[in-house]
Structure formats: structure tokens, C-alpha cells
Amino acid sequence: MLSRVCDLQQEIATFLRQKNLPGGDHFSNPQWLARLALLTDITTHLNDLNVKLQGKNILVTDMYSHITAFEVKLRLWEAQLAAGQFMHFPRIAACAPDDVDLNTCVGVVTSLREEFASRFTGVWPLAPGFKLFTSLFDFPVDEAPAPLQMELVELQCNDELKAKYRTASPLSFRDLVLPSNKFPNYIEHVKRIVAMFGST
């Protein structure tokens, strides 16, 4: 919706003035339009993340990857905006440089990054468990929880599984392992990870 407001700003301003409605003057204020452009670009990035976190067959590990990537993007954007670089903010880039308040831009991204970090504090401690799931064949056996170590050795030494699933996504590997019930401790570990992530 913000994108449409940006695209139709002249028409909206004309309509508001013709009807003597408040807010029409904002559309002739370049600093206000620059803040609108910032919010539109940020909202676009948030919508992209939201779409990645939804849908069928999205694993917890995929969600974790998207969340982690977004946090890294926020840090990158923070530094780039502080330096006046707008390559990931096309609507701000279209504004005149004098109309863009860099402190406001950086402040918005900083606030978003801090809020983002506080919302997902329960997720970060789960990272080692995710690695055990996503990097099963490369995970150091001695770092795995004791109940999983013997099954992990069996899985890592199974040449057939390695040949077939070494580069496969966790979803296809899960489809192979979970129905077989050959690795009950590993399956329980995956279920705990999923339950813990769902409760954060």
C-alpha cells in the first residue's frame, strides 16, 4: 500500500486539496516524502522476509536462515545508510540528497534491528541444534548430544545416504529418515528443535 501511495503521490495530493482534506501539504514537503520513501523501502524488505517465512514445507532451519540473513542485512543497511549509500533503498535513492536525513534513516534501521534482535532472542541458542540437522554429515560427533552420538556415527558412515543426500536439502533428507524410524534419538532431537522454535 505504501508503494501505491508513493506511486500516486501527485494524484493523492490533488485529491486532498480539491476536497479540502488535511494532509495534502505533506505531499509538497520533500523531507516528508523522503521519510515516506524510507518507510516504503523498509516495508518492502519486511514484506519480502514475511513471504519467505510462510508457506508449505518451510523448515525451522529455513526460517532460522532467513531470520539470520535479515539481521545481517539490517547491519549492512545501517552502515550503508550512514555513509549515504542507498543502493538497497530505491525510493530513497530517487529523492534529492538534501531532502534525505541520514540520521533519521539510520535511526529507523537501528530501531528495527534492535526490535528484531529482541523478538528473536529465543532463537539464537537453538543454532547448534539446527546445524546438527542441516549439516548432518559434517557435524562433529563429539559435539553432538550424547544420546545422538551413536546414531550420528551410523548416519555419517552410511555411504548410500551420503551419496544420495549429501547435497540435498534438509527437507528431502527428513523425508528419507523420519519415516524409517531407524534413528529414534535423532528424530526426537528434530522434534524438540521444532517444538522449541514454535514456542519462541
Side-chain angles (χ1 to χ4, degrees), residues 49-94:
L49 173 64
N50 190 27
V51 168
K52 290 176 183 176
L53 296 175
Q54 297 180 27
K56 271 185 148 180
N57 296 326
I58 303 290
L59 293 177
V60 172
T61 53
D62 296 330
M63 291 179 184
Y64 176 76
S65 295
H66 294 312
I67 291 167
T68 303
F70 195 77
E71 186 178 41
V72 171
K73 288 177 185 179
L74 287 169
R75 291 185 187 285
L76 175 69
W77 298 334
E78 211 172 358
Q80 289 177 337
L81 289 171
Q85 299 170 352
F86 307 122
M87 66 280 291
H88 302 293
F89 294 86
R91 293 202 182 264
I92 296 175

Side-chain angles (χ1 to χ4, degrees), residues 15-16 83 118 129 158 177 197 199:
F15 173 80
L16 292 173
S118 72
N158 187 319
V177 174
F197 188 85
S199 66

Side-chain angles (χ1 to χ4, degrees), residues 15-197:
F15 173 80
L16 292 173
R17 285 189 200 102
Q18 286 176 347
K19 300 292 184 181
N20 289 326
L21 295 171
D25 294 339
H26 291 306
F27 289 93
S28 58
N29 180 337
Q31 289 82 23
W32 186 87
L33 289 172
R35 289 191 301 273
L36 177 64
L38 171 67
L39 293 177
T40 303
D41 286 338
I42 292 285
T43 301
T44 300
H45 290 307
L46 286 169
N47 287 342
D48 290 344
L49 173 64
N50 190 27
V51 168
K52 290 176 183 176
L53 296 175
Q54 297 180 27
K56 271 185 148 180
N57 296 326
I58 303 290
L59 293 177
V60 172
T61 53
D62 296 330
M63 291 179 184
Y64 176 76
S65 295
H66 294 312
I67 291 167
T68 303
F70 195 77
E71 186 178 41
V72 171
K73 288 177 185 179
L74 287 169
R75 291 185 187 285
L76 175 69
W77 298 334
E78 211 172 358
Q80 289 177 337
L81 289 171
Q85 299 170 352
F86 307 122
M87 66 280 291
H88 302 293
F89 294 86
R91 293 202 182 264
I92 296 175
C95 297
D98 291 342
D99 297 333
V100 178
D101 180 359
L102 294 180
N103 290 332
T104 298
C105 293
V106 172
V108 167
V109 174
T110 299
S111 294
L112 180 59
R113 180 183 51 77
E114 290 169 353
E115 181 65 26
F116 195 83
S118 72
R119 296 267 176 165
F120 292 101
T121 54
V123 173
W124 312 133
L126 302 177
F130 295 155
K131 283 196 185 260
L132 180 58
F133 184 56
T134 58
S135 304
L136 180 65
F137 293 112
D138 300 316
F139 196 89
V141 174
D142 57 336
E143 292 179 20
L148 300 181
Q149 290 175 343
M150 296 300 104
E151 289 181 12
L152 189 57
V153 168
E154 292 291 329
L155 285 165
Q156 289 180 350
C157 292
N158 187 319
D159 290 335
E160 184 180 343
L161 287 177
K162 279 199 287 193
K164 193 171 184 180
Y165 292 97
R166 186 154 189 95
T167 59
S169 72
L171 180 62
S172 61
F173 187 78
R174 180 199 65 190
D175 291 342
L176 171 80
V177 174
L178 292 182
S180 73
N181 281 336
K182 290 182 181 177
F183 309 102
N185 291 325
Y186 181 73
I187 293 167
E188 279 306 308
H189 177 73
V190 170
K191 287 179 182 176
R192 273 195 309 276
I193 295 278
V194 170
M196 288 168 56
F197 188 85

